[in-house]
Amino acid sequence: MTLSPCDKKEYCLHSAITINFIMDLLINSKKYSVNVSPDESLLTVLRNELDLTGSKYGCGEGVCGACTVLINDVAVRSCITKAGSVAGKNITTIEGLEKNGKLHPVQQACLDVDVFQCSYCAPGMVMSAVSLLKKNSAPTKDDIVKGMQGNICRCGTYPRIVKAIQEASNIQKG
Ligand code: FES
């Protein structure tokens, strides 16, 4: 246990003392050791400590879904998830979806359907869709709309997102 130095991203102001821990995070099947406060958000650790910048900062309040990652295959908002709460769990980010040079079916379907415009929401959308398909491999349109409700796209590409998830479901079925 160490008191965080004031010259890092954490700060020490009189009574506000940040305590860092060295913790192991398993991200995309790779172990990372980080020296951070367990109260730091997972999103900040991913982006600022590990340079895994695929997950995006949007609202910072758990509302928009831009920061979505998978913890043990379940979609969570990394901006409101404390790093200390996910030590030892399987964390998957958008960087970990591609396997052996092959895109995940959701990624491939998003390209095939030409879903995104500005693409800021894309990583979070894709991760939520992957989680949705893990729970329900053949979702109806209503299932998709309901399952993706927490992900906001300011470009309004929702109809194409639904189409891409249906297509990804078909790709997975082979
Ligand atoms: Fe995490 Fe918006 S940035 S939900």
Side-chain angles (χ1 to χ4, degrees):
M1 181 170 72
T2 55
L3 293 182
S4 73
C6 294
D7 61 351
K8 288 204 73 185
K9 294 179 185 76
E10 294 75 20
Y11 58 88
C12 296
L13 289 174
H14 304 295
S15 61
I17 298 174
T18 304
I19 299 175
N20 283 8
F21 289 84
I22 295 174
M23 67 178 89
D24 291 336
L25 297 177
L26 185 61
I27 305 169
N28 303 329
S29 305
K30 185 176 166 190
K31 193 171 105 177
Y32 295 85
S33 287
V34 289
N35 185 4
V36 296
S37 163
D39 289 334
E40 188 62 271
S41 79
L42 175 60
L43 180 63
T44 298
V45 173
L46 291 172
R47 294 182 57 84
N48 295 357
E49 302 291 331
L50 302 175
D51 209 23
L52 292 167
T53 55
S55 308
K56 302 301 182 204
Y57 182 95
C59 64
E61 297 177 349
V63 175
C64 74
C67 65
T68 303
V69 300
L70 305 186
I71 306 293
N72 293 344
D73 286 343
V74 176
V76 301
R77 307 297 156 93
S78 62
C79 69
I80 54 168
T81 300
K82 292 181 179 183
S85 72
V86 293
K89 297 183 180 172
N90 276 315
I91 303 164
T92 309
T93 69
I94 190 75
E95 290 91 346
L97 284 188
E98 181 188 320
K99 299 280 182 238
N100 302 319
K102 197 161 181 249
L103 294 176
H104 187 281
V106 172
Q107 293 173 303
Q108 189 58 57
C110 285
L111 287 179
D112 293 345
V113 176
D114 201 10
V115 170
F116 299 111
Q117 286 181 217
C118 85
S119 294
Y120 196 80
C121 70
M125 284 282 181
V126 168
M127 298 312 288
S128 288
V130 169
S131 175
L132 173 67
L133 289 174
K134 280 180 186 289
K135 284 184 283 189
N136 179 357
S137 61
T140 64
K141 183 181 171 190
D142 284 351
D143 293 335
I144 295 170
V145 170
K146 199 170 161 203
M148 297 297 291
Q149 250 172 14
N151 288 76
I152 296 170
C153 171
R154 290 199 179 275
C155 305
T157 62
Y158 300 112
R160 295 202 296 275
I161 288 165
V162 171
K163 194 173 168 197
I165 295 173
Q166 287 170 324
E167 175 152 334
S169 168
N170 290 333
I171 294 173
Q172 282 187 338
K173 278 184 224 152

